[in-house]
């Protein structure tokens, strides 16, 4: 790469492809641009390249993590609307189409390349607009699943343009409020609700409660809430609950093959006791889970028969806290967010 300082801004020239690339910008906050005409360049081994322009000193690092804010343009939108459950629709050019929900409002389809809302398919529109969303999920078969307060639970085949209305095999019980979904290796959807754990079987197009978990909750006097959960790489389900009539959270696991459950109480595991309010859980490797809380986070090692818990509540002698959601990227970094 040949770097050029011009009166029209800093440019680079790729000698192999004979192509130019411009970095000109008037905005100092533009993380991908360099303001001003280029005067001098100083490459380093560890800090990328320092570039001097008449607008100041800049550092170019090809490996840096760029964060770009995209303003979502929605009709009648409010500045304090919070986007939730963002899912990319696969098969689109450059993965430009996303689906997301805004609590107490609607589900939306959006093109982040064109930066505009995309019309919702007509047959799906009644299940999207002003329905008070809970959550959404796109499974491996390209089925978009929507859960809302006003319209309940519905699926939409993004390829075949077809609605899927599951049957509820739950007797006389009220339909559960589905607050989280995850797919297992068999293609079943695990549905975390405020009244237990349910499973959607795509072959039967049927939803039923996981009875082994129901028996375990009743036996151990645990809350019915089962929407804080994850599925690890071995297929085991890990769920947060609360001990009835008490404030302490509890962690329990369920093995779908053996039907065995195991419980991990805060009084018996000091790291969980320090974390107190358990917020998020996700697998971060083949034998590790991450648990977040407002008092820090911990890593759960599941490689042995009994898991171990490693607490992280202090960093550089400063307390850690405020963590809620967590997710891993393709480079095995763990990202956490806070309220």
């Amino acid at each position: 790469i040949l770097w050029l300082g011009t009166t029209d801004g800093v440019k680079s020239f790729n000698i192999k492809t004979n192509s130019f690339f411009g970095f000109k910008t008037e905005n100092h906050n533009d993380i991908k641009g360099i303001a001003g005409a280029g005067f001098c360049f100083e490459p380093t081994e560890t800090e990328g390249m320092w570039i001097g322009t008449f607008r100041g000193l800049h550092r170019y690092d090809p490996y840096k993590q760029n964060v770009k804010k995209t303003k979502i343009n929605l009709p009648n939108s409010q500045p304090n609307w919070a986007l939730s459950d963002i899912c990319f629709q696969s098969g689109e050019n450059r993965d430009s189409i996303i689906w997301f929900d805004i609590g107490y409002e609607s589900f939306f389809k959006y093109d982040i390349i064109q930066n505009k809302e995309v019309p919702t398919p007509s047959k799906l529109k009644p299940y999207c607009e002003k329905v008070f969303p809970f959550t959404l999920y796109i499974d491996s078969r390209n089925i978009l699943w929507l859960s809302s307060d006003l319209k309940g639970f519905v699926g939409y085949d993004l390829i075949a343009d077809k609605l899927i209305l599951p049957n509820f095999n739950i007797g006389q019980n009220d339909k559960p409020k589905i607050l989280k979904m995850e797919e297992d290796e068999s293609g079943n959807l695990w549905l975390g609700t405020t009244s237990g754990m349910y499973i959607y079987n795509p072959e039967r197009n049927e939803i039923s409660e996981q009875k082994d978990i129901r028996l375990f909750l009743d036996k151990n006097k645990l809350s019915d809430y089962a929407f804080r959960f994850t599925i690890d790489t071995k297929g085991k389900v890990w769920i947060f609950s609360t001990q009835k009539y008490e404030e302490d959270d509890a962690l329990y696991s369920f093995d779908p093959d053996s039907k065995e459950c195991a419980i991990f109480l805060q009084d018996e595991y000091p790291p969980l006791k320090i974390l107190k309010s358990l917020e998020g859980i996700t697998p971060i490797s083949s034998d590790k889970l991450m648990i977040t809380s407002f008092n820090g986070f911990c890593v759960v090692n599941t490689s042995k028969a009994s898991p171990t818990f490693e607490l992280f509540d202090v960093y550089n002698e400063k307390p850690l806290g405020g963590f809620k959601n967590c997710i891993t990227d393709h480079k095995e970094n763990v990202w956490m967010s806070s309220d």
Side-chain angles (χ1 to χ4, degrees):
I1 301 295
L2 176 66
W3 288 83
L4 307 170
T6 78
T7 55
D8 191 39
V10 173
K11 302 180 187 297
S12 64
F13 178 72
N14 190 313
I15 297 175
K16 293 183 178 180
T17 61
N18 292 331
S19 58
F20 286 94
F21 187 87
F23 294 86
K24 181 180 179 181
T25 183
E26 298 300 323
N27 181 7
H28 268 294
N29 295 319
D30 184 351
I31 59 176
K32 295 188 177 181
I34 300 171
F39 288 152
C40 58
F41 303 88
E42 183 63 35
T44 71
E45 293 183 359
T46 58
E47 298 178 311
M49 179 154 59
W50 291 94
I51 302 172
T53 78
F54 81 91
R55 293 281 295 275
L57 183 65
H58 311 262
R59 184 168 73 91
Y60 173 80
D61 185 352
Y63 304 107
K64 68 183 178 182
Q65 297 167 345
N66 288 329
V67 179
K68 181 180 179 183
K69 180 179 179 180
T70 301
K71 183 178 180 181
I72 300 297
N73 298 309
L74 295 172
N76 304 316
S77 64
Q78 304 296 320
N80 60 346
W81 275 2
L83 278 62
S84 301
D85 304 306
I86 299 172
C87 290
F88 280 89
Q89 180 174 324
S90 62
E92 300 291 337
N93 293 334
R94 295 185 291 178
D95 286 333
S96 63
I97 301 298
I98 60 173
W99 292 82
F100 60 86
D101 63 74
I102 295 175
Y104 306 104
E105 180 59 33
S106 304
F107 294 103
F108 295 92
K109 183 180 182 182
Y110 200 84
D111 189 325
I112 58 174
I113 301 298
Q114 300 297 326
N115 201 22
K116 65 179 182 180
E117 185 181 5
V118 178
T120 305
S122 58
K123 61 184 65 176
L124 188 62
K125 187 175 290 188
Y127 298 93
C128 290
E129 297 182 350
K130 307 292 184 181
V131 293
F132 288 73
F134 287 143
T135 188
L136 64 86
Y137 187 83
I138 297 178
D139 67 17
S140 60
R141 297 171 298 135
N142 246 358
I143 307 296
L144 170 68
W145 296 98
L146 306 177
S147 174
S148 67
D149 190 26
L150 298 186
K151 290 294 184 176
F153 187 63
V154 65
Y156 175 73
D157 191 320
L158 293 166
I159 298 175
D161 184 29
K162 181 177 69 174
L163 284 176
I164 300 174
L165 301 174
N167 300 312
F168 282 82
N169 182 14
I170 56 176
Q172 300 298 317
N173 296 330
D174 294 335
K175 290 183 179 180
K177 293 183 177 181
I178 298 168
L179 303 185
K180 184 177 179 181
M181 305 173 238
E182 266 198 48
E183 185 179 12
D184 64 20
E185 290 186 352
S186 301
N188 300 310
L189 271 186
W190 290 72
L191 310 173
T193 80
T194 56
S195 55
M197 180 65 73
Y198 291 75
I199 298 179
Y200 169 73
N201 185 306
E203 295 182 357
R204 300 196 300 265
N205 190 32
E206 182 181 273
I207 293 174
S208 59
E209 186 174 13
Q210 215 304 320
K211 295 181 179 179
D212 299 285
I213 291 180
R214 162 54 54 198
L215 293 173
F216 179 80
L217 293 175
D218 293 342
K219 178 182 177 181
N220 290 275
K221 298 181 179 180
L222 295 174
S223 165
D224 292 343
Y225 288 2
F227 53 85
R228 296 177 295 167
F229 79 96
T230 194
I231 303 174
D232 68 17
T233 57
K234 302 179 182 70
K236 185 176 289 187
V237 186
W238 297 80
I239 310 170
F240 294 153
S241 185
T242 304
Q243 295 175 264
K244 285 185 176 179
Y245 317 116
E246 299 182 25
E247 295 182 355
D248 290 344
D249 281 354
L251 169 68
Y252 64 97
S253 64
F254 173 72
D255 189 327
D257 295 327
S258 66
K259 308 300 182 184
E260 292 182 354
C261 291
I263 190 169
F264 309 93
L265 300 175
Q266 291 186 327
D267 286 339
E268 299 173 6
Y269 293 87
L272 296 181
K273 186 73 172 180
I274 294 173
L275 293 181
K276 192 173 174 57
S277 177
L278 307 180
E279 295 295 327
I281 182 169
T282 192
I284 59 175
S285 71
S286 60
D287 56 6
K288 287 189 172 100
L289 300 167
M290 168 82 81
I291 293 177
T292 58
S293 84
F294 292 126
N295 294 327
F297 62 91
C298 79
V299 174
V300 187
N301 191 321
T302 62
S303 59
K304 298 180 180 179
S306 297
T308 59
F309 299 83
E310 183 179 4
L311 178 67
F312 296 86
D313 61 342
V314 175
Y315 181 72
N316 284 344
E317 300 182 352
K318 294 183 179 179
L320 288 170
F323 299 118
K324 187 173 178 66
N325 301 308
C326 54
I327 194 171
T328 55
D329 62 21
H330 297 299
K331 296 181 180 180
E332 296 187 348
N333 299 306
V334 182
W335 297 82
M336 293 173 282
S337 68
S338 167
D339 280 347

